[in-house]
Amino acid sequence: MALLIEEGGVNNIMEYGDEVSPEEALEYYIKAGRIAYRVLNETIRLVKPGIRVLELCEFSERKIKEYGGKPAFPTNISINNVAAHYTSPIGDNTIVPEDGVVKVDIGVQVNGFIADIAKTVTLNPNYEDMVEAVEAALENALTIAKPGIRISELSKVIEETIKRYGYKPIRNLSGHEVKRYSLHAGTSIPNVKTFSLEKLKPWHTYAIEPFATNGAGYVRDSKEIYIYSLRKVRKPQSKIEEKIISKVKSEYKWLPFSERWLTELAEPNTLRKTLKSLTRRGILQGYPVLIEGLNGIVVQAEHTILVTDKDIIVITKP
Ligand code: CO
């Protein structure tokens, strides 16, 4: 799930209650990655014209649990000019259109250790080379990724690859570091070259996720918000607020969640109104659905890497 650059990463301080050795952390990362890869591929097989987006979201989130993980964020199914951060709201009737360009972005966590993976299915053959561009950009970045390399080198390779195919990288969406229970953890990996001197650090984990478009090359917020995360814990002002905050705190911690995951707490209208109010007051962060600046078609590819002492492990590849 992409980081919108102007939003910035968040470094949350939280008591996790249990210590984990580096060996265990590695094991959890590998397990999360394996589940993410498997569920992404099973979900992609279902992407056909007419299938409900809600079914894709629920199927993938259910499979993650079945295979022994938890969703690290609600499955994002973003279609055509929708670049990112779309997950089905409660009762969503949206279906995959005949010619849809469908981005499936899945997150898995095992004990808080996160694997983030995405792929684009195009039902319209005209966009196959755009998908190829973004996949090549990701592969080229993975090929040069190693401890100590400048992040701007990765950004440069991504930008150049996408441009070589005749498309634009999306400049305000980026890859991101992940930390335990923290999806957008500080360091970002932009899809266009920057002057940052930051480097990939050993034993840090990063999601690399190029986005390409035939549109303007940036995204803007829409008014729709279906994904939230806890930002700061404040005293609740009602019983329902108390129930929401307490469930999010214990089950999702600082990770993004969907209104679909809270349906037992209130009926949909009350739930939505309360989530909006908590967002307005800064207690929750909302992730608006992101739309391409000129309504261009958007494609995406993503893998998560764990940087080791001398190399990298792509945890989302088998
Ligand atoms: Co991501």
Side-chain angles (χ1 to χ4, degrees):
M1 186 172 134
L3 172 69
L4 182 67
I5 287 192
E6 46 269 47
E7 242 163 32
V10 204
N11 276 311
N12 292 302
I13 299 152
M14 183 147 188
E15 295 299 320
Y16 300 121
D18 58 336
E19 284 304 310
V20 166
S21 71
E23 291 77 21
E24 283 172 314
L26 179 63
E27 187 191 317
Y28 295 146
Y29 269 128
I30 302 280
K31 184 175 175 188
R34 210 170 278 160
I35 296 169
Y37 177 83
R38 187 172 172 196
V39 173
L40 178 78
N41 285 290
E42 291 180 7
T43 307
I44 270 173
R45 263 180 250 141
L46 302 179
V47 176
K48 297 270 151 57
I51 192 171
R52 288 176 76 188
V53 171
L54 180 62
E55 194 181 329
L56 297 172
C57 293
E58 287 181 342
F59 170 84
S60 54
E61 292 164 9
R62 187 173 68 242
K63 284 290 167 186
I64 290 171
K65 291 178 204 155
E66 211 178 291
Y67 299 151
K70 288 180 181 171
F73 52 82
T75 294
N76 287 207
I77 307 281
S78 308
I79 301 175
N80 294 344
N81 63 327
V82 179
H85 300 176
Y86 185 93
T87 196
S88 280
I90 297 163
D92 189 12
N93 283 319
T94 307
I95 57 161
V96 169
E98 203 69 46
D99 271 355
V101 177
V102 184
K103 293 153 294 279
V104 180
D105 191 340
I106 282 173
V108 176
Q109 58 115 335
V110 173
N111 280 314
F113 295 90
I114 299 166
D116 189 351
I117 185 172
K119 209 174 159 79
T120 303
V121 180
T122 175
L123 303 172
N124 181 339
N126 293 337
Y127 299 114
E128 273 162 14
D129 73 319
M130 210 198 297
V131 173
E132 205 182 298
V134 89
E135 284 178 354
L138 177 57
E139 281 312 310
N140 291 345
L142 293 176
T143 305
I144 62 163
K146 59 179 180 199
I149 193 173
R150 282 204 182 145
I151 286 170
S152 62
E153 288 294 312
L154 303 178
S155 301
K156 184 172 169 238
V157 159
I158 290 170
E159 176 174 8
E160 285 176 356
T161 310
I162 292 171
K163 284 184 171 166
R164 207 176 305 133
Y165 279 84
Y167 298 105
K168 287 180 186 159
I170 295 204
R171 61 175 184 262
N172 61 342
L173 281 181
S174 76
H176 48 95
E177 188 170 357
V178 301
K179 286 188 176 151
R180 197 174 181 198
Y181 291 113
S182 180
L183 181 65
H184 294 156
T187 301
S188 69
I189 304 186
N191 293 316
V192 289
K193 197 178 179 317
T194 62
F195 296 102
S196 157
L197 299 177
E198 245 183 308
K199 294 171 175 172
L200 290 186
K201 295 193 197 97
W203 303 103
H204 284 238
T205 310
Y206 306 86
I208 303 179
E209 50 184 316
F211 284 81
T213 182
N214 58 1
Y218 64 87
V219 292
R220 57 194 160 83
D221 287 359
S222 76
K223 289 203 175 72
E224 297 168 276
I225 301 180
Y226 303 125
I227 301 176
Y228 302 88
S229 69
L230 188 61
R231 208 164 141 219
K232 55 187 182 197
V233 180
R234 287 283 180 281
K235 212 169 121 52
Q237 290 179 1
S238 66
K239 195 82 199 146
I240 163 81
E241 285 195 6
E242 189 188 324
K243 284 200 267 181
I244 291 174
I245 294 171
S246 123
K247 173 155 185 178
V248 169
K249 227 177 110 186
S250 67
E251 287 195 31
Y252 313 129
K253 300 193 165 59
W254 304 101
L255 293 173
F257 61 88
S258 156
E259 61 176 43
R260 289 182 285 106
W261 299 357
L262 302 173
T263 42
E264 80 283 5
L265 301 182
E267 55 90 29
N269 281 334
T270 314
L271 185 58
R272 228 164 264 163
K273 239 170 45 202
T274 313
L275 291 171
K276 291 252 147 71
S277 160
L278 288 167
T279 305
R280 237 182 352 255
R281 282 147 51 211
I283 296 167
L284 296 182
Q285 166 162 3
Y287 298 81
V289 173
L290 299 172
I291 313 283
E292 213 289 322
L294 282 173
N295 287 320
I297 295 288
V298 179
V299 298
Q300 172 202 16
E302 178 174 25
H303 275 301
T304 303
I305 63 168
L306 174 64
V307 179
T308 59
D309 286 322
K310 293 207 172 85
D311 210 348
I312 62 161
I313 303 170
V314 185
I315 62 168
T316 44
K317 276 189 183 178

